[in-house]
Amino acid sequence: MDEELERDEKVFLLGEEVAQYDGAYKVSRGLWKKYGDKRIIDTPISEMGFAGIAVGAAMAGLRPICEFMTFNFSMQAIDQVINSAAKTYYMSAGLQPVPIVFRGPNGASAGVAAQHSQCFAAWYGHCPGLKVVSPWNSEDAKGLIKSAIRDNNPVVMLENELMYGVAFELPEAAQSKDFLVPIGKAKIERPGTHITVVSHSRPVGHCLEAATVLSKEGIECEVINMRTIRPMDIETIEASVMKTNHLVTVEGGWPQFGVGAEISARIMEGPAFNYLDAPAVRVTGADVPMPYAKILEDNSVPQVKDIIFAIKKALNI
Amino acid sequence: MRKMLAAVSRVLLGAAQKPASRVLVASRNFANDATFEIKKCDLHRLEEGPPETTVLTREDGLRYYRMMQTVRRMELKADQLYKQKIIRGFCHLCDGQEACCVGLEAGINPTDHLITAYRAHGFTFTRGLTVREILAELTGRRGGCAKGKGGSMHMYAKNFYGGNGIVGAQVPLGAGIALACKYNGKDEVCLTLYGDGAANQGQIFEAYNMAALWKLPCIFICENNRYGMGTSVERAAASTDYYKRGDFIPGLRVDGMDILCVREATKFAAAHCRAGKGPILMELQTYRYHGHSMSDPGVSYRTREEIQEVRSKSDPIMLLTDRMVNNDLASVEELKEIDVEVRKEIEDAAQFATADPEPPLEELGYHIYSSDPPFEVRGANQWIKFKSIS
């Protein structure tokens, strides 16, 4: 964000605690000190209001980054995201672009219970006019936020609170000020031959762990990091399934009408269907509001063992 | 008398000739301008309000007349087209409220910004679009200002941000546009309109708070036409003093049927914002002759007598006409001549709007994203694909 704020003076950040508090999760640390009140704006607790203000500013030619402290609170403002931002370019037949980024942590955290743990990938991914991205590691986070800010469309960036504290090695190329991860392109994190495992956000890490365990048993998983929910890179998934003949999808959100459901439907509609040796299998969050007690919470999100189990089921092992 | 006959015959001749040429009523000498008293505005947290007298020039008067008459006739034509089923869906008309859209425009610059809700055809015109492209958008044709993609509630122009369908959502948007004005440092203001119904939306109070906190150059304008759909203000609001609802934001209550009152109040409000004093709130007391929309006859929650009384006593076009004619700023014939021209303009526009073809089916998927390479959009089934171009 710092690099993009420096690069283009129309970019600014607003949200609760983004300025003087350095960000609720310290994501915007140091930015207010560097850029001041004009570019880094603390808002009152008024999601619908400040999301609307951000969209209006984007309509008038600025490039706002609107932070939701978590995407759970975006529900207060969802009308502004969908009706004011996402649909406007279409309704105006191309006269009125809305170059805005909505970002913040999404999905389950740890012990924050039902109202603070929902995953919004499926909800936002449903809507034409929006782009929705979901980074897993540091390279994703950096490259996607830069692409999102430079994109002239409304982009929803679904981050993950538990990933904020995880360190990754950043490759040389990713350290450049112009490093971008293209929106709409998935990445094969680990090539494999026996089964395609598709995921987004934090569960990508769990899939890689599962792949490491299974590798010892002679099962080579191809792990795909979606990076973008919408527009979905189904081609990369199809090409992989046509090679491996098996598919498991993994997500943190609820199963019904989720990301895995969409992938499964699209695989059935495309060339990869005829290459499937078994039905696609979905690993998801449990179909309950997130419970608080640790044992319950742990079993409400996909664990590595659940992914391994699903992979073996798909492979009929 | 002879002069009048000469003038009348010139008008009639004029009507039969090329419509675009103005027949000069050359033998009359009109006043260049006249001074009028206007109603004092009720004030909230303001020591002083807009001036109580104003000067109207002949030129401005004729322009305002023409514009109000155009909006009036355009809305009536839309009514007609709707009843003929050539316009479908939502159609919210603003006849009766012409002094608001024309008066507001008269008080600001084209470089200022304006956003409103769905009763937007009048503003779409005053912000610079033609009747032709507005009517063609209502009829859903390719010549419409949004190529038929938006319809009645989604028309856009330079510095005009619609046309918004969700009640109240446009108010934070307007505050955001005002933020951009302040950010860019160009002394521009944003007129952010909403109705008496929308005035009870929570997000409006969120916008008031942030606009005041950050001193945004936002003029909040409540177009109070006494009814939110079928609900009168008394049944919807614990306080119907809409100009005070901004609480810490100064406010004024304006006679929205008097275009000069609206103009002066707007100038006053704009000056307040441009001076860096932060937001201000204007309540325009106005009235709509039509029901809420074309599906509402508009007489189940109010009496025909009430509507008729407003028409006969407070019609904005009539008020301006009387002022101009009684003060030597224009003649009745001259204004009738303008009526003829306006009628022709509307008729031509309606012809176009009826004859123009619908947008091509191939363009159904266009304008999903801005500035992107073409891609495919799914249709009703997996085999139907539409190309999407930015």
Side-chain angles (χ1 to χ4, degrees), chain A residues 65-241:
Chain A
I65 307 166
C66 176
E67 177 177 305
F68 291 118
M69 198 182 278
T70 77
F71 267 95
N72 300 288
F73 315 138
S74 76
M75 275 203 281
Q76 309 272 58
I78 200 163
D79 175 67
Q80 297 289 5
V81 178
I82 307 302
N83 280 320
S84 301
K87 297 178 185 172
T88 294
Y89 193 69
Y90 186 86
M91 292 192 295
S92 67
L95 288 177
Q96 181 63 74
V98 186
I100 188 168
V101 177
F102 297 100
R103 52 158 292 274
N106 173 64
S109 179
V112 294
Q115 293 178 345
H116 288 73
S117 305
Q118 187 168 333
C119 174
F120 289 85
W123 284 27
Y124 288 119
H126 190 55
C127 303
L130 275 188
K131 295 190 181 180
V132 181
V133 298
S134 180
W136 164 55
N137 62 8
S138 303
E139 190 181 321
D140 291 352
K142 178 176 178 185
L144 286 173
I145 191 69
K146 288 167 80 73
S147 293
I149 292 168
R150 296 188 195 190
D151 201 306
N152 287 335
N153 296 288
V155 181
V156 168
M157 174 134 148
L158 303 170
E159 299 161 13
N160 186 293
E161 195 222 316
L162 296 172
M163 296 308 290
Y164 285 152
V166 180
F168 291 89
E169 259 214 50
L170 207 58
E172 182 79 44
Q175 295 183 35
S176 151
K177 278 192 178 173
D178 283 307
F179 170 70
L180 302 172
V181 165
I183 295 178
K185 199 88 189 73
K187 182 183 179 198
I188 300 175
E189 295 288 349
R190 181 193 191 282
T193 45
H194 297 123
I195 183 165
T196 301
V197 183
V198 188
S199 184
H200 74 96
S201 189
R202 186 158 176 264
V204 172
H206 299 326
C207 294
L208 289 168
E209 274 185 60
T212 304
V213 169
L214 288 166
S215 183
K216 299 194 186 88
E217 296 174 42
I219 300 168
E220 293 305 324
C221 302
E222 179 146 290
V223 177
I224 299 179
N225 172 6
M226 290 175 72
R227 287 178 155 180
T228 298
I229 305 293
R230 182 172 191 116
M232 193 186 290
D233 179 5
I234 196 67
E235 289 79 20
T236 298
I237 304 173
E238 278 173 338
S240 176
V241 170

Side-chain angles (χ1 to χ4, degrees), chain B residues 219-232:
Chain B
I219 305 176
F220 293 103
I221 301 170
C222 179
E223 244 179 321
N224 177 5
N225 60 19
R226 307 195 212 168
Y227 299 93
M229 202 154 157
T231 305
S232 68

